[in-house]
Amino acid sequence: MKWEKLKPPEPDDPMCCCECDIYQYGCCCDCEDLDEAFSRWLKDKPSKGGCQCPVLGAVMEHLEISMIPALLLLPLLLRVAALHYLLGIIILTALPGLVLWYYYATHRRKRRTLFFLTLALYSLAYMYYLFLTEILPRGDVSQLQVFAATAGMILTIGSLIYTKRGPGFVTASPQKAQTVHQKAEKDSALSNGSTSGTSAELQATKQTLTAKWSRCAVCKILRPPRAGHCRTCGSCVQRLDHHCIWINSCVGQANHRSFLLTLCLFVLTSLYGISLVLCSLCPQQYLVTALFYCPGVYTQSSTALCFTCAWYSSIVTGGLLYLLLAQVLNISFNVTEREAQLALRNKTGQSRLRGLVVDTGEYSRGFFQNWVEFLTMTDASVPSRSSRTDLV
């Protein structure tokens, strides 16, 4: 039960009591507190959540301090971790736990946050700054290698900006849904009357006919198949995969391919930069060995700082590499992260590859066809109201 309370909100869950329109009574933080909050309201007792002061509650609700820890604490913590290897082990072990705690805290409140996007961008810039100021003067890196690392960082940022253009919000209306069904019925009649129609075309037409549009309980609009409502963004997204904390936006039909490209560029650039740093600090060791044993690296503060940053980059890269692997497996089975969560919750999917992917069997048409569909799917239209996600 404690783990269930820490879990992020699953897609299309019923609205929490805190999301009702009566703001002054919405002081409970999850649905299990509904009875207690209603009892306090009947007895006219003050709430426990510190909601007595409306001004203080409003300040705490809208104050954005996500950029402060990333910009101030990260360089300080890395320099403290470089003082001794025991301090490095303690700090680098505690950092993922703190980030994970902040992740659950923000998702429990269904709030957008700049923390993870700021952390990723600042980490990339800070690692590149140390590379130019500490590793490049050692003379162990060629100009071609510097150009490759710089190009990788620029391409990563450019791909991230392209991904931030929007996931493809649903703007469907009942008239559009009716038009789609009428066109599908017309195509099905033509296919059934023609003798030249292939089985693949008939199967595609059948899938179009059986696909049902659903009405969002929050947005009150009809949405196409595979679309879902994001509790964090407050909008329905076409072919919703998940809400990514690292880009502070949803991943949907319009930006899923560019999101996958951004992950690939970031992981490759980070791995290449780590290899250059370790080859410069420990030229006599293999890369994997140098990451665990690099004699004499703590004799100088500059080399100790670079070695600590290499470990920090390895931890971040490991997490993003796992995310990239999960994305590749989901695409191979033609299932989105949202559909996988719903299948696990409703017990309608099967775990594959030791639980790394959930196969729903609903949209999969084979490995090759799944990737063709992913790479050739048309971008969803992005309405003007999605401009709020262009910069943050």
Side-chain angles (χ1 to χ4, degrees):
M1 290 299 297
K2 294 182 179 180
W3 175 252
E4 291 293 331
K5 295 181 68 175
L6 290 176
K7 286 178 60 179
E10 300 209 7
D12 297 335
D13 275 349
M15 292 185 65
C16 178
C17 50
C18 305
E19 298 176 300
C20 61
D21 296 332
I22 310 176
Y23 176 77
Q24 59 268 28
Y25 301 126
C27 299
C28 49
C29 59
D30 46 38
C31 296
E32 295 181 359
D33 297 332
L34 177 59
D35 295 334
E36 182 182 357
F38 188 71
S39 177
R40 291 197 307 265
W41 176 72
L42 290 177
K43 297 178 181 179
D44 198 20
K45 292 183 178 180
S47 57
K48 301 179 181 179
C51 299
Q52 295 88 345
C53 181
V55 177
L56 181 60
V59 171
M60 295 301 296
E61 180 70 19
H62 299 287
L63 182 63
E64 177 60 67
I65 59 174
S66 301
M67 298 177 64
I68 297 178
L71 296 179
L72 297 181
L73 294 182
L74 181 62
L76 178 62
L77 290 176
L78 291 178
R79 290 189 177 274
V80 172
L83 297 177
H84 196 270
Y85 72 93
L86 291 179
L87 288 175
I89 293 175
I90 295 174
I91 293 177
L92 293 179
T93 304
L95 275 178
L98 292 175
V99 172
L100 187 62
W101 168 82
Y102 191 80
Y103 165 74
Y104 283 117
T106 54
H107 273 65
R108 189 178 180 181
R109 299 179 64 184
K110 296 94 177 175
R111 289 189 58 185
R112 293 165 57 87
T113 174
L114 290 173
F115 175 80
F116 300 98
L117 177 61
T118 306
L119 180 64
L121 291 177
Y122 187 74
S123 298
L124 187 64
Y126 187 67
M127 298 303 113
Y128 184 72
Y129 168 77
L130 290 179
F131 175 75
L132 294 180
T133 57
E134 301 293 344
I135 300 300
L136 189 59
R138 296 172 62 91
D140 300 327
V141 182
S142 64
Q143 294 183 354
L144 182 61
Q145 292 173 330
V146 175
F147 174 79
T150 305
M153 188 190 69
I154 295 176
L155 290 176
T156 302
I157 296 177
S159 179
L160 176 62
I161 295 175
Y162 187 78
T163 304
K164 289 286 294 177
R165 64 191 179 126
F169 293 102
V170 177
T171 57
S173 61
Q175 292 79 9
K176 184 176 180 180
Q178 186 177 3
T179 303
V180 171
H181 282 289
Q182 290 178 355
K183 184 178 179 180
E185 291 177 358
K186 182 179 179 180
D187 294 341
S188 177
L190 292 176
S191 299
N192 292 332
S194 176
T195 58
S196 59
T198 61
S199 59
E201 293 175 348
L202 293 176
Q203 185 179 1
T205 305
K206 183 178 179 180
Q207 290 180 355
T208 305
L209 286 172
T210 56
K212 296 181 180 179
W213 288 50
S214 60
R215 179 177 295 275
C216 178
V218 182
C219 299
K220 307 300 181 183
I221 62 173
L222 287 176
R223 57 192 185 189
R226 310 192 74 175
H229 182 83
C230 176
R231 298 276 296 275
T232 305
C233 293
S235 302
C236 286
V237 179
Q238 298 196 35
R239 200 182 183 276
L240 175 63
D241 188 81
H242 70 287
H243 181 89
C244 182
I245 57 176
W246 297 106
I247 65 174
N248 194 28
S249 178
C250 290
V251 177
Q253 183 173 333
N255 64 347
H256 200 168
R257 289 174 297 181
S258 58
F259 173 75
L260 186 67
L261 178 62
T262 303
L263 279 179
C264 293
L265 290 174
F266 188 95
V267 170
L268 292 177
T269 303
S270 181
L271 290 176
Y272 186 69
I274 294 172
S275 64
L276 291 180
V277 172
L278 293 179
C279 288
S280 178
L281 297 178
C282 305
Q284 305 299 328
Q285 303 285 343
Y286 292 104
L287 288 179
V288 180
T289 306
L291 191 60
F292 293 93
Y293 178 72
C294 187
V297 72
Y298 283 96
T299 57
Q300 298 180 3
S301 59
S302 60
T303 57
L305 178 61
C306 294
F307 183 75
T308 303
C309 291
W311 255 107
Y312 170 76
S313 301
S314 301
I315 295 174
V316 175
T317 305
L320 295 181
L321 186 61
Y322 175 81
L323 178 59
L324 177 61
L325 176 62
Q327 286 290 309
V328 171
L329 291 177
N330 285 342
I331 296 170
S332 301
F333 285 87
N334 199 359
V335 60
T336 64
E337 187 65 26
R338 168 182 173 270
E339 293 168 350
Q341 292 182 14
L342 292 176
L344 287 177
R345 186 176 65 181
N346 300 329
K347 298 181 180 180
T348 58
Q350 297 181 354
S351 298
R352 303 289 186 183
L353 302 178
R354 296 185 178 181
L356 291 177
V357 65
V358 178
D359 184 13
T360 61
E362 186 175 359
Y363 300 101
S364 181
R365 295 186 296 168
F367 177 84
F368 180 76
Q369 290 296 331
N370 292 338
W371 274 96
V372 169
E373 178 182 340
F374 174 77
L375 295 176
T376 59
M377 64 179 178
T378 57
D379 289 349
S381 58
V382 183
S384 58
R385 65 184 180 92
S386 66
S387 58
R388 62 176 180 176
T389 62
D390 292 339
L391 297 179
V392 298

